[in-house]
Amino acid sequence: MSERVTIDIVDGVADVRLNRPNKRNALDLAMFGGLVRAGDDLKRQRGLRAVVLSGEGQDFCAGLDFRVFESMRDDEGWAGAIELPPGSGPAKAAGQRAAHIWTELPVPVIAAISGHALGGGLQIALGADIRMVAPDAKLSVMEIKWGLVPDMTGTQLLPELVGRDVAKELTFSGRILSGTEAFELGLATRVCADPRGSALELAHSIADRNPEAITAAKRLLDLAGRVDLETGFAAEQAEIGALVGSANQVEAVNAEFEARRPRFADRTEHTR
């Protein structure tokens, strides 16, 4: 695992951290590679129930490292220099994969945002299912400042959260939002004094639920608005049909009636 990204797994919860605090966890070649490899490894991690994604130190991620901008200016073809594991999803470019890899995990991913989440850093957070944000965090679709457009999946994911018109306003202006305004616009899920602590607490509570039901719920909710209703309703029935009477579903019921912590088996399906 790249030292740019660290992973610590406790009781099925992966604590994943961008690990470049002296540079506000800015994105360089090693960080892009580390993010993709971390997500790829976690997709195959048995017993994984939830992921918390945060930055070491005071910031989540301040966007692209200035040296990457210099290489872009000098046309050095920096993206081609990143060695990544094979991927089969819709994201092809390294930056897109660094953000989109988190949507490919079968378990919930919770981003904990403190300090700066700018440009590419914000787009990485968009790959999470849930975003916990500090009230004084600073978030921005900042690419326009550099004469660019978001190219790490942000143009496709941001409108789903805030609406097309607000996404355009944020992208055209590049203005900086506080965590509080981000929550008001729908960009953040919850405002927390301690985003990482709150994210870990939620992740561990998710880890105590039927993992097959959590994975099914993520699949269904990710379909919403992206397929027609007939397809979505049919998917609901397929998922509930597979869950009812399964060993983990029966264990959930028994644990509830017996007022004890459930003992779930690992998911039988590890890929989406």
Side-chain angles (χ1 to χ4, degrees):
M1 179 58 58
S2 166
E3 64 179 7
R4 285 285 193 267
V5 180
T6 64
I7 300 177
D8 184 30
I9 301 177
V10 177
D11 295 333
V13 174
D15 182 3
V16 181
R17 299 200 211 180
L18 285 68
N19 186 32
R20 204 183 179 207
N22 60 321
K23 296 291 185 180
R24 295 186 181 273
N25 298 315
L27 298 163
D28 62 358
L29 301 186
M31 185 71 83
F32 279 120
L35 285 163
V36 176
R37 286 189 291 272
D40 192 64
D41 288 347
L42 289 172
K43 283 196 291 185
R44 295 186 296 273
Q45 179 69 44
R46 289 189 62 83
L48 187 68
R49 302 294 173 84
V51 173
V52 172
L53 182 62
S54 66
E56 192 69 60
Q58 297 181 350
D59 297 279
F60 181 77
C61 175
L64 280 180
D65 187 289
F66 184 70
R67 286 176 295 181
V68 176
F69 279 114
E70 287 186 322
S71 68
M72 292 168 68
R73 182 189 63 188
D74 297 336
D75 195 26
E76 294 180 4
W78 60 272
I82 307 173
E83 294 186 7
L84 301 176
S88 59
K92 305 302 180 186
Q96 289 178 331
R97 290 187 64 190
H100 194 264
I101 192 77
W102 308 103
T103 72
E104 298 175 351
L105 268 64
V107 303
V109 178
I110 308 167
I113 302 171
S114 299
H116 293 79
L118 309 176
L122 176 58
Q123 292 179 84
I124 289 169
L126 294 180
D129 300 290
I130 296 166
R131 280 158 292 282
M132 305 289 202
V133 61
D136 59 352
K138 300 182 186 304
L139 301 85
S140 175
V141 187
M142 191 165 274
E143 284 78 6
I144 196 64
K145 177 179 179 180
W146 308 107
L148 299 170
V149 298
D151 67 335
M152 291 170 56
T153 76
T155 62
Q156 304 306 298
L157 298 183
L158 186 61
E160 286 192 345
L161 296 174
V162 300
R164 191 178 300 270
D165 58 338
V166 174
K168 288 179 177 179
E169 186 263 323
L170 296 177
T171 303
F172 298 161
S173 68
R175 69 184 181 89
I176 295 177
L177 310 175
S178 69
T180 300
E181 185 179 3
F183 169 72
E184 292 169 349
L185 292 176
L187 184 54
T189 311
R190 190 191 303 174
V191 178
C192 315
D194 177 12
R196 186 170 166 273
S198 296
L200 286 169
E201 181 180 1
L202 176 59
H204 282 285
S205 71
I206 290 170
D208 280 340
R209 301 298 185 182
N210 178 359
E212 291 170 333
I214 292 291
T215 295
K218 178 168 177 173
R219 279 195 295 258
L220 289 170
L221 293 169
D222 282 345
L223 286 178
R226 300 174 182 176
V227 299
D228 60 76
L229 286 178
E230 183 176 0
T231 300
F233 291 164
E236 275 191 349
Q237 291 304 296
E239 297 286 8
I240 198 70
L243 287 170
V244 172
S246 65
N248 278 343
Q249 191 267 324
V250 171
E251 170 62 10
V253 173
N254 289 339
E256 186 68 22
F257 279 112
E258 295 168 13
R260 59 171 174 81
R261 187 175 181 179
R263 297 180 291 272
F264 294 121
D266 291 343
R267 295 185 315 276
T268 56
E269 181 177 308
H270 298 281
T271 58
R272 300 184 70 198

